[in-house]
């Protein structure tokens, strides 16, 4: 009866008040928008909290109603009636376990705001801290459940009786919204959302989320820090000259939530926003929060990217493929029509963009073609609709599309047309020969590493004539301090005497390959000694080859086929190595899904790859679940993108692999002799079964190696029985593997590093010095920037946040600014690789680092003046 009776009462109320609404709408004089809005406002108010949400959305839509009519709904933002004082006291005492005056030093019984579900009071804790106390109104949960039950029944009947409702699947869309709507009164869930979003914006001075006091939070009461400022529904109090910047901050914060964090405020109406005294935008009330999957964000980004580039047919394909039920069955002419709708809204109407108008036109077109929008974007569309209306309230002249374009551009590696033209003029004036060579090479050479880089293009690649120590000289005679080291091999600097002499001797002795030579034996011995307990070394020609060999050895030993790797870890360009590496991620962050990241990858190999999350204990459950099929786990023990070693994770990983008979492979191609002699595994105190090495071990020449336990590496040795070899041994080939020139260069490099252990602490000190200098320059310029680094590896990221996962670090990075930084630095004599981890060498002096810091400071100031960073 407790469920049925309220629902029955709600049904009667719905019929009566809806009839009254229709009668009032048909009465003379009700066609005036202001009067119609007043009639609808009274109807929604009488219908209760579920319907008041619709009123809050309408209150932001001045473009739909006109400013006067929209104002009718402003009281829904924070001016609704509070619950009775006695009910408030009961709710507080029941939820807190004691009367309010025993929990708080003071409590203001008059609410500062009252919304549809809850009301907020100001209070003081015994510690003297001012807090806001949010309390769910008594009776609201029951009323919401009853309203949802009745509305669900009505939509079910409409689904059966009205064909249009079936086509739009209103029943299904409400079913998707229902859990979120009914979850608004569970304040423990709201607290989790609030903590997560607060963490996502940590360090961002422009966006705030109140801090919670969890010891006082319950399912019906939240206690959080009190925020002073101008409420969003009083935006007209803001100085006119500040409104454009504040509107831009609201828009940018919401887009960051949706497209980068994947967790967004569904209800960003004026009652849920406060403008702080320092200009920060503070978001409140996280009862309604939407979540976008990694795939959703990928598809949204791909769609908007096509739109901002004016690729309308492509945008239509991406839109229908991701967001339209039955989109794959739409005819070509329907897609052309949709492209015209996109062009109209994104181009012709861009000066006054309207999410409502766009979704209306798209939905009508799809309806005519027997298709509909997917319910997956229902909450996002609702949030965009509310948020854009609020932005126009803050600044009626706000150019939403222009700001959207700027936002999208910042997180694309491609420069805007204006910036690209500026760089072209400057760089080609400084390096005309390089530009001419690059243009001529386009007819004959494809160089995916530096000239034609995949996904992250180098628009103005450097063309080098010579390199020495820590400096590069390009073909036009420009000299640059180098922060790349050839992506890692040149730890001693370019052309180090000991390496140069070893190469000269090897060339003079004939440059032997495919035959045994002393340098090959020396390099193998140094490698085996550098990784204790592994004992055998097998030489090849690159890090990618080393990974391929190691995986084959693991499969041969275990007779299992599947491979596990960590998301964001790059193991070369093989099909396995690229899975979920740098460009695209998929699935829940705790249970990543394998994604190919390259056309032409074998889908069977991708499907056989289990993707783990570095540092996440959930990874061990995934290993256990498929242990019987897993040949190996391959991992970067110190991911270059993080420059950190998670010792606890690696130790547990070692234990789990031992427990299940899985081969553990460390990819130390980058870190092997860079972070320490013997690699990151020495820092972690964890030994793998196989180590993949490369880069430094070739002394600047192509080289790779697998170093490991004898019973594994010996699988590449013959049994002296050809028939047994074919069935029980792992074939490994390579005409140039262990050639005398490369082996001599590698042995000379490793020998020098072993003889001079002081190189490593010196590199660590200089890395710390440089990261400190760069951090200081960014702070002095007022630019949001994180400089992270350790043991000669460092990176520059233009972002406020410090996320732990690689997918999150890359998601919100200001890619356009990162690329631009590389080109600005060139003007000041420094070469930084675009969108790649930077590295120091033993050839860098402290004077060099001071030069780098000075160039960086000048560059970020020039970038700020050029408008690369938000105000």
């Amino acid at each position: 009866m407790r469920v049925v009776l309220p629902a029955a009462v709600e049904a009667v109320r719905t019929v009566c008040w809806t009839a009254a609404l229709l009668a009032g709408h048909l009465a003379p004089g009700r066609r005036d928008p202001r009067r119609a809005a007043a009639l609808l406002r009274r109807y929604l108010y009488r219908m209760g909290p579920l319907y008041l949400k619709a009123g809050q959305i309408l209150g932001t839509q001045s473009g739909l109603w006109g400013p006067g009519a929209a104002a009718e709904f402003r009281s829904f933002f924070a001016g609704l009636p509070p619950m009775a004082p006695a009910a408030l006291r009961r709710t507080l005492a029941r939820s807190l376990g004691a009367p309010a005056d025993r929990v708080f030093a003071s409590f203001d019984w008059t609410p500062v705001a009252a919304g549809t579900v809850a009301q907020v009071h100001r209070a003081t804790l015994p510690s003297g801290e001012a807090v806001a106390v949010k309390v769910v109104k008594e009776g609201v949960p029951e009323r919401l459940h009853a309203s949802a039950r009745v509305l669900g029944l009505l939509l079910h009947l409409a689904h059966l009786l009205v064909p249009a409702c079936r086509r739009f699947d209103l029943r299904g869309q409400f079913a998707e919204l229902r859990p979120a709507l009914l979850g608004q009164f569970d304040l423990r869930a709201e607290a989790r959302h609030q903590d997560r979003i607060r963490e996502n914006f940590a360090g961002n001075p422009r966006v705030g989320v109140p801090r919670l006091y969890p010891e006082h939070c319950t399912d019906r009461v939240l206690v959080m820090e009190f925020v002073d400022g101008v409420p969003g529904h009083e935006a007209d109090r803001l100085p006119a000259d500040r409104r454009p910047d504040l509107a831009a901050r609201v828009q940018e914060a919401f887009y960051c939530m949706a497209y980068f964090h994947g967790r967004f405020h569904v209800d960003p109406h004026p009652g849920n926003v406060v403008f702080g005294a320092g200009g920060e935008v503070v978001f409140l009330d996280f009862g309604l929060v939407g979540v976008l999957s990694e795939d959703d964000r990928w598809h949204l980004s791909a769609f908007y990217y096509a739109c901002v580039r004016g690729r309308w047919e492509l945008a239509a394909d991406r839109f229908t493929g991701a967001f339209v039920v039955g989109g794959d069955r739409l005819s070509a002419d329907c897609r052309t029509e949709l492209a015209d709708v996109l062009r109209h809204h994104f181009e012709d109407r861009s000066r006054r963009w309207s999410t409502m108008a766009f979704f209306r036109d798209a939905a009508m077109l799809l309806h005519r073609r027997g298709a509909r929008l997917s319910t997956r974007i229902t909450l996002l569309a609702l949030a965009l609709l509310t948020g854009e209306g609020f932005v126009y309230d803050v600044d009626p002249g706000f150019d939403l599309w222009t700001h959207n374009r700027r936002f999208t551009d910042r997180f694309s590696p491609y420069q805007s047309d204006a910036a690209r033209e500026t760089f072209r003029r400057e760089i080609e004036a400084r390096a005309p020969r390089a530009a001419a060579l690059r243009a001529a090479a386009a007819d004959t050479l494809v160089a995916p590493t530096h000239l034609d880089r995949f996904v992250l293009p180098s628009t103005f690649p450097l063309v080098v004539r010579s390199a020495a120590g820590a400096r590069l000289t390009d073909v036009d005679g420009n000299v640059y301090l180098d922060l790349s080291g050839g992506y890692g091999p040149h730890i001693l600097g370019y052309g180090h005497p000991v390496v140069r002499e070893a190469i000269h001797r090897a060339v003079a002795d004939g440059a032997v390959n495919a035959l045994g030579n002393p340098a090959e034996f020396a390099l193998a011995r140094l490698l085996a000694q550098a990784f204790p307990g592994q004992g055998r070394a097998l030489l090849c020609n690159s890090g990618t080859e080393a990974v391929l060999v190691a995986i084959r050895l693991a499969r041969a030993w275990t007779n299992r086929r599947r491979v596990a790797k960590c998301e964001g870890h790059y193991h070369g360009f093989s099909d396995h190595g690229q899975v979920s590496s740098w460009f695209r991620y998929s699935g829940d962050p705790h249970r990543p899904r394998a994604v190919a990241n390259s056309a032409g990858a074998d889908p069977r190999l991708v499907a056989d790859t289990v993707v783990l999350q570095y540092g996440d204990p959930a990874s061990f459950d995934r290993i256990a679940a498929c242990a019987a099929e897993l040949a190996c786990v391959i991992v970067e023990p110190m991911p270059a993108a993080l420059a950190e070693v998670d010792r606890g994770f690696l130790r547990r990983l070692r234990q789990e692999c031992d427990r299940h008979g899985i081969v553990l492979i460390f990819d130390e191609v980058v870190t092997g002799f860079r972070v320490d002699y013997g690699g990151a595994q020495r820092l972690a105190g964890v030994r793998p079964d196989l180590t993949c090495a490369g880069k430094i071990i070739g002394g600047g020449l192509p080289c790779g190696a697998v170093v490991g336990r004898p019973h594994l590496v010996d699988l590449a040795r013959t049994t002296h029985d050809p028939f047994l070899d074919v069935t029980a041994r792992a074939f490994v080939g390579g005409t140039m593997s262990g050639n005398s020139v490369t082996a001599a260069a590698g042995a000379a490099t490793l020998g020098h590093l072993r003889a001079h252990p002081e190189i490593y602490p010196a590199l660590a000190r200089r890395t710390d010095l440089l990261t400190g200098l760069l951090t200081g320059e960014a702070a002095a310029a007022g630019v949001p920037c994180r400089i992270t680094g350790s043991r000669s590896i460092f990176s520059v990221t233009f972002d406020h946040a410090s996320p732990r996962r690689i997918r999150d670090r890359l998601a919100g990075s200001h890619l356009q600014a990162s690329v631009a930084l590389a080109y600005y630095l060139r003007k000041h004599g420094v070469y930084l690789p675009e969108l790649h981890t930077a590295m120091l060498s033993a050839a860098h002096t402290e004077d060099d680092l001071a030069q780098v810091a000075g160039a960086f400071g000048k560059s970020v100031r020039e970038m700020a003046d050029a408008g690369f960073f938000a105000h």
Side-chain angles (χ1 to χ4, degrees):
M1 289 296 293
R2 284 180 298 180
V3 174
V4 175
L5 183 58
V9 172
E10 196 66 30
V12 173
R13 288 170 51 82
T14 300
V15 172
C16 292
W17 287 122
T18 303
L21 173 68
L22 293 174
H25 181 67
L26 295 174
R30 292 298 186 184
R31 299 297 181 182
D32 175 67
R34 183 71 181 257
R35 298 184 67 185
L39 178 67
L40 183 57
R41 177 185 61 79
R42 288 194 294 272
Y43 169 77
L44 295 174
Y45 178 78
R46 289 161 176 159
M47 290 299 295
L50 188 65
Y51 299 83
L52 289 173
K53 287 294 177 186
Q56 290 172 337
I57 296 169
L58 293 173
T60 66
Q61 301 304 305
S62 58
L64 175 67
W65 293 88
E72 285 288 334
F73 302 96
R74 297 300 170 85
S75 62
F76 289 0
F77 295 144
L80 294 168
M83 63 178 134
L88 174 60
R89 291 179 183 274
R90 280 196 305 271
T91 302
L92 286 170
R94 186 167 53 247
S95 298
L96 297 173
D101 54 9
R102 287 171 52 186
V103 176
F104 303 103
S106 66
F107 189 91
D108 186 350
W109 295 97
T110 301
V112 295
T116 57
V117 173
Q119 59 194 57
V120 179
H121 294 258
R122 184 163 188 161
T124 306
L125 293 174
S127 62
E129 296 169 275
V131 293
V133 182
K134 180 176 180 178
V135 188
V136 174
K137 293 180 178 179
E138 190 175 64
V140 163
E142 294 78 11
R143 188 77 186 276
L144 276 171
H145 273 290
S147 297
R149 187 179 178 88
V150 170
L151 186 55
L153 178 61
L154 292 175
L155 288 173
H156 179 73
L157 292 174
H159 186 83
L160 295 175
L161 301 174
V162 183
C165 291
R166 286 196 294 274
R167 284 193 292 271
F168 285 109
D169 192 20
L170 298 180
R171 182 180 63 173
Q173 297 201 38
F174 179 71
E176 182 178 281
L177 283 170
R178 181 171 178 161
L181 293 170
L182 295 183
Q184 295 176 86
F185 52 80
D186 181 0
L187 297 190
R188 290 193 188 278
E190 178 173 335
R192 290 192 292 271
H193 290 313
Q194 186 164 332
D195 274 339
R196 179 68 180 273
I197 293 177
R198 175 180 165 81
E199 179 184 342
N200 288 341
F201 282 110
N204 190 330
R206 301 187 182 94
V207 182
V209 175
R211 176 172 57 90
L212 291 166
Y213 292 81
E215 66 274 20
H216 297 303
C217 295
T218 70
D219 59 341
R220 292 293 183 268
V221 174
L222 282 187
V223 179
M224 66 196 83
E225 64 178 313
F226 192 90
V227 178
D228 281 311
V230 177
H233 59 278
E234 298 178 14
D236 54 358
R237 291 170 44 195
L238 297 167
D241 60 342
R242 291 182 59 195
R243 290 189 193 177
D245 282 347
L246 291 174
R249 289 179 188 180
V250 172
Q251 183 217 26
E252 179 169 315
F254 180 78
Y255 281 3
C256 281
M257 288 187 218
Y259 301 127
F260 301 145
H261 304 155
R263 189 176 297 267
F264 59 92
H265 201 304
V266 174
D267 209 12
H269 66 68
N272 289 335
V273 175
V274 171
F275 296 105
E280 67 275 17
V281 177
V282 181
F283 286 90
L284 310 172
D285 191 348
F286 297 90
L288 278 173
V289 169
V291 177
L292 292 176
S293 70
E294 201 71 30
D295 287 331
D296 289 335
R297 285 185 278 165
W298 173 269
H299 292 310
L300 275 170
S301 298
F303 165 64
Y304 277 116
Y305 189 71
C307 289
V308 298
R309 291 168 68 88
R311 303 283 302 281
W312 306 114
E313 297 286 348
L314 177 60
D317 286 342
R318 289 175 174 175
F319 187 83
T320 55
F323 309 126
V324 176
V325 176
D328 56 336
R329 298 191 299 272
L330 291 175
S331 62
D333 63 321
C334 178
R335 291 171 183 264
T336 300
E337 277 192 71
L338 181 57
D340 290 338
V341 170
L342 294 173
R343 181 185 296 107
H344 172 64
H345 285 280
F346 282 83
E347 197 169 78
D348 301 339
R349 293 200 58 192
S350 62
R351 294 293 300 175
R352 189 63 179 176
W353 168 261
S354 169
T355 295
M356 175 176 282
F358 166 65
F359 275 102
R360 179 199 62 210
D361 289 354
M364 289 177 64
L365 167 62
L366 295 171
H367 170 63
R368 292 197 304 271
R369 299 303 185 113
R372 64 170 178 85
L373 292 173
S374 168
T375 54
R376 293 202 324 277
I377 61 168
T378 300
L379 286 176
L380 179 61
L382 182 65
L384 287 168
L385 182 64
T386 305
E388 77 177 28
F390 177 39
V391 164
Y392 285 135
D393 277 350
V394 176
D395 177 19
F398 190 74
D399 187 343
L400 189 71
W401 175 244
T402 298
H403 282 81
N404 179 37
R405 174 65 187 266
R406 289 174 184 166
F407 179 87
T408 307
D409 279 350
R410 287 206 306 275
F411 301 98
S412 161
Y414 299 92
Q415 300 298 303
S416 66
D417 294 340
R420 186 166 54 250
E421 179 58 24
T422 298
F423 290 136
R424 187 192 65 77
R425 288 196 308 269
E426 292 177 351
I427 292 173
E428 291 187 3
R430 191 166 59 249
R433 293 189 64 193
L437 286 170
R438 172 69 183 95
D443 292 334
T444 54
L445 173 66
V446 176
T449 301
H450 48 279
L451 300 184
D452 306 288
R453 193 164 53 224
F454 184 77
V455 174
L456 307 174
S458 177
T459 309
F460 305 103
L462 206 63
V463 181
V464 175
R465 184 182 67 205
S466 63
R471 285 168 170 76
L472 304 169
T473 302
D474 70 11
V475 292
D476 292 277
N478 300 299
V479 178
Y480 305 93
L481 256 174
D482 175 58
L483 298 176
S484 168
Y487 293 165
H490 300 284
I491 192 170
L492 300 178
Y494 292 97
H496 191 278
V498 70
V499 179
R500 192 169 60 243
E501 290 166 11
I503 291 172
H504 287 169
R505 286 195 302 270
V507 171
D509 289 339
V512 173
N513 68 286
L515 294 168
N517 62 85
E520 179 185 24
F521 306 148
L523 178 57
R525 185 167 55 253
L526 285 165
L527 289 168
Q529 292 170 351
F531 299 105
Q534 296 177 58
R536 294 282 195 276
L538 183 159
L539 300 180
C540 52
N541 295 292
S542 70
T544 293
E545 282 190 22
V547 169
L548 288 168
V549 169
I551 290 174
R552 178 171 288 184
L553 292 174
R555 283 175 163 159
W557 176 257
T558 62
N559 198 30
R560 301 171 184 168
R561 75 178 194 279
R562 301 191 73 185
V563 173
K565 62 158 299 196
C566 286
E567 183 178 81
H569 292 203
Y570 175 71
H571 303 295
F573 61 84
S574 68
D575 287 358
H576 272 129
Q578 270 199 290
V579 168
S580 300
S581 56
W582 277 105
F583 316 118
R584 185 182 175 189
Y585 308 116
S586 183
D588 183 273
H590 303 290
R591 293 183 60 82
R593 186 173 66 85
V595 61
N597 269 317
S598 173
D602 187 337
R604 294 166 298 180
L605 285 180
V606 176
D608 269 349
T609 305
V610 179
V611 184
L612 312 175
Q613 196 67 262
Y614 185 83
D616 190 337
S619 295
F620 305 121
D621 295 332
R622 304 203 75 189
I623 290 172
C626 54
E629 300 175 301
L630 274 183
C632 61
V633 175
I634 183 168
V635 61
E636 290 181 69
M638 181 178 174
L642 301 177
E644 296 176 357
V645 175
D646 190 327
R647 293 175 177 82
F649 178 79
L650 294 176
R651 289 169 186 154
R652 174 81 184 276
L653 185 60
R654 174 72 276 176
Q655 294 168 0
E656 293 299 317
C657 287
D658 288 341
R659 178 177 293 116
H660 299 294
I662 299 168
V663 176
L664 178 59
I665 304 171
F666 278 3
D667 179 348
E668 298 237 39
V669 171
V670 173
T671 55
F673 291 89
R674 173 161 288 281
V675 300
D676 201 354
Y677 194 88
Q681 58 191 263
R682 183 174 176 185
L683 302 178
V686 178
R687 296 297 179 187
D689 300 305
L690 296 172
T691 297
C692 297
K695 296 189 185 290
I696 287 173
I697 69 166
L701 299 181
C703 191
V706 177
V707 187
R709 302 186 188 279
H711 70 276
L712 291 169
V713 182
D714 282 350
L715 287 171
R717 276 183 168 156
T718 180
T719 63
H720 299 286
D721 177 341
F723 300 96
L724 185 59
D725 280 1
V726 170
T727 57
R729 287 292 182 262
F731 175 76
V732 178
T735 301
M736 301 304 295
S737 298
N739 72 82
S740 63
V741 179
T742 294
T749 300
L750 298 192
H752 186 83
L753 290 170
R754 187 174 66 172
H756 296 276
E758 70 278 4
I759 287 174
Y760 290 102
L763 278 172
R765 285 193 303 272
R766 288 174 187 161
T767 306
D768 292 342
L769 172 61
L770 181 60
T771 56
L773 291 171
L774 298 183
T775 299
E777 292 287 351
V783 169
C785 187
R786 288 183 295 106
I787 317 293
T788 56
S790 176
R791 297 174 175 270
S792 82
I793 302 172
F794 72 97
S795 62
V796 179
T797 306
F798 292 106
D799 193 9
H800 293 288
S802 300
R804 300 287 302 172
R805 287 188 289 263
I806 293 174
R807 67 158 67 180
D808 298 328
R809 289 174 67 95
L810 295 180
S813 297
H814 196 329
L815 298 181
Q816 192 177 84
S818 297
V819 172
L821 174 65
Y823 301 145
Y824 274 92
L825 282 172
R826 285 195 209 173
K827 292 196 300 182
H828 304 295
V830 174
Y831 173 69
L832 180 78
E834 309 105 312
L835 302 171
H836 194 284
T837 301
M839 300 183 193
L840 295 179
S841 74
H844 285 97
T845 66
E846 292 193 5
D847 287 343
D848 291 337
L849 304 187
Q851 181 182 333
V852 170
F856 178 80
K858 293 175 184 176
S859 296
V860 294
R861 286 174 174 81
E862 291 169 358
M863 291 169 66
D865 291 341
F868 275 91
F869 307 109
H871 296 294

